[in-house]
């Protein structure tokens, strides 16, 4: 039963304001018996509505045939978006909020890709603590209005005290977030942001390629003349969950598919925007993005799967090229 007092919600927001607080990449919000998985997924649209947000998409994540399931929810919070976009175009990648309900041997769980950690990487290292904390507080308040399960407040994934993600082994995919944004295509003369976004969505309407990439949402930002697109892929997700595994958590060792608790790491974002008089399609370097969400897999697993991020990025580039 949800019984978290409003005063506690406020204290959570205040606690998050410390500039060097440790935050996990993911935040588990609720736990329930495994039989409540259906109830938790069915209750998600109402939860988003109570928070005053917009549900952009929901889909079943790829689990590689695992007997347990995960369902991802992509959410747009207009108030949060306004705060994010005051920090520049690079911050657009922080806009979609991603939640996931997943099953495992311990039951059913609701988790969030934690904006308190991710915004420090994407938006600003310091000075932007309040808006992400407000997102978490709004979710907890909405859940107290009626959501299956019992409250949880467990941060997991890579635990960070700063937004800057360093290089692995001194060479791999580290540095300030803006330097990791790549322009992967430039529109032709006369093409609008909407034209390009629609073309990419059309090409990605059905799963394609090794990673079975497909479009799952579109978020229009007319005031910025920009569009955010989300690409999911069953094979991509299943492989990422397999690689991260229990991520050093002994409590999850021996689970059938422990990495499923990272489901809120997807979809992958593309940003289509007008820049210097041309329409451009932007992507975060996929190796860096994998580090953002899966760094807790460990150095050895990254070293053993170095080709995966590049392969995903190549397929995204091919997809966008076909759209042009």
């Amino acid at each position: 039963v949800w019984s978290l007092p409003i005063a506690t919600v406020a204290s959570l927001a205040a606690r998050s304001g410390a500039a060097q607080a440790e935050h996990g990449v993911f935040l588990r919000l609720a736990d329930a018996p495994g039989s409540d998985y259906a109830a938790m997924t069915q209750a998600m649209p109402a939860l988003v509505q109570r928070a005053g947000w917009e549900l952009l998409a929901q889909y079943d994540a790829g689990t590689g045939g695992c007997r347990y399931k995960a369902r991802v929810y992509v959410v747009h919070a207009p108030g949060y978006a306004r705060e994010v976009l005051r920090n520049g175009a690079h911050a657009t990648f922080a806009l979609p909020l991603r939640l996931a309900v997943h099953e495992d041997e311990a039951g059913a769980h609701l988790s969030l890709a934690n904006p308190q950690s991710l915004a420090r990487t994407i938006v600003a290292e310091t000075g932007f603590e309040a808006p992400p904390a407000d997102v978490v507080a709004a979710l907890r308040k909405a859940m107290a209005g009626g959501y299956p399960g019992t409250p949880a407040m467990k941060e997991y994934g890579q635990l960070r005290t700063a937004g800057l993600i360093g290089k692995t082994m001194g060479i791999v995919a580290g540095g300030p977030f803006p330097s990791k944004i790549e322009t992967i295509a430039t529109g032709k003369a006369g093409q609008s942001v909407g034209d390009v976004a629609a073309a990419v969505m059309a090409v990605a309407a059905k799963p394609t390629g090794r990673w079975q990439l497909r479009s799952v949402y579109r978020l229009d930002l007319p005031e910025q003349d920009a569009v955010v697109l989300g690409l999911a892929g069953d094979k991509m997700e299943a492989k990422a969950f397999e690689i991260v595994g229990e991520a050093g958590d002994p409590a999850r060792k021996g689970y059938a598919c422990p990495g499923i608790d990272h489901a809120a790491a997807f979809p992958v974002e593309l940003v289509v925007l007008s820049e210097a008089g041309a329409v451009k399609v932007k992507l975060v370097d996929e190796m860096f993005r994998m580090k953002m969400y899966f760094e807790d897999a460990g150095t050895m697993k990254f070293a053993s799967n170095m080709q995966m991020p590049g392969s995903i990025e190549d397929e995204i580039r091919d997809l966008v090229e076909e759209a042009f």
Side-chain angles (χ1 to χ4, degrees):
V1 183
W2 285 96
S3 58
L4 194 71
I6 299 302
T8 302
V9 173
S11 73
L12 291 172
R15 181 176 67 89
S16 302
Q20 296 302 316
E22 183 177 72
H23 288 301
V25 173
F26 301 95
L27 174 61
R28 200 172 78 233
L29 294 165
D31 298 316
S35 58
D36 281 1
Y37 177 79
M40 292 180 87
T41 55
Q42 290 167 8
M44 284 300 296
L47 173 66
V48 173
Q49 185 176 35
R50 282 197 301 276
W53 301 340
E54 177 187 355
L55 182 59
L56 297 174
Q58 55 178 302
Y59 69 93
D60 292 325
T63 59
C66 177
R67 67 180 182 271
Y68 295 114
K69 299 187 289 292
R71 190 160 182 83
V72 177
Y73 300 82
V74 185
V75 173
H76 174 53
Y80 181 61
R82 285 192 294 273
E83 296 297 324
V84 167
L85 290 170
R86 289 174 180 167
N87 291 270
H90 72 278
T92 308
F93 285 94
L95 289 188
L97 300 173
R98 295 186 238 97
L99 297 104
V101 178
H102 76 273
E103 302 174 296
D104 58 25
E105 284 82 347
H109 316 277
L110 173 64
S111 296
L112 169 72
N114 188 3
Q116 295 174 119
S117 173
L118 296 168
R120 286 197 300 207
T121 297
I122 301 173
V123 181
E125 181 73 45
T126 59
F128 193 73
E129 292 82 19
D134 289 344
V135 165
V136 174
L139 265 174
R140 298 303 295 261
K141 183 177 179 180
M143 294 166 78
Y147 189 79
T150 55
M153 193 65 178
K154 177 177 174 57
E155 301 195 31
Y156 65 95
Q158 188 75 8
L159 298 175
R160 298 176 179 140
T161 57
L164 182 67
I165 297 175
K167 295 182 178 181
T168 300
M169 298 179 289
I171 55 173
V172 180
F177 181 82
S179 70
K180 301 303 174 183
I181 299 174
E182 303 173 357
T183 298
I184 61 172
T186 300
K188 300 174 183 176
Q191 282 186 311
S192 69
V193 166
D195 292 339
V196 171
V200 174
M201 290 283 283
V203 170
K206 295 181 179 180
T208 183
R210 173 185 176 186
W211 301 109
Q212 294 293 284
L213 299 176
R214 68 191 188 282
S215 58
V216 290
Y217 78 85
R218 170 176 172 164
L219 172 61
D220 286 87
L221 303 166
E223 292 184 3
Q224 285 72 35
D225 195 16
V227 176
V228 184
L229 304 177
L231 299 176
D234 286 355
K235 301 292 185 182
M236 171 178 66
E237 293 150 7
K239 185 63 175 177
F241 303 155
E242 174 192 335
I243 292 169
V244 73
E246 71 273 11
D249 183 352
R252 300 185 66 76
K253 191 172 180 63
Y255 278 19
C257 41
I260 199 173
D261 67 346
H262 287 48
F266 297 106
V268 173
E269 304 82 16
L270 295 176
V271 174
V272 185
L273 51 75
S274 180
E275 181 181 80
V279 176
K280 298 185 179 180
V281 182
K282 305 276 188 174
L283 172 75
V284 176
D285 172 77
E286 282 302 298
M287 177 62 83
F288 184 81
R289 191 184 189 280
M290 283 293 185
K291 285 189 68 176
M292 284 176 60
Y293 294 96
F294 294 96
E295 192 172 19
D296 53 325
T299 300
M300 294 306 297
K301 287 192 175 181
F302 263 88
S304 300
N305 295 277
M306 292 283 285
Q307 294 182 344
M308 179 185 176
S311 175
I312 293 170
E313 183 165 326
D314 287 345
E315 286 200 10
I316 294 174
R317 287 175 176 271
D318 289 345
L319 185 156
V320 171
E321 183 178 342
E322 183 177 346
F324 277 84

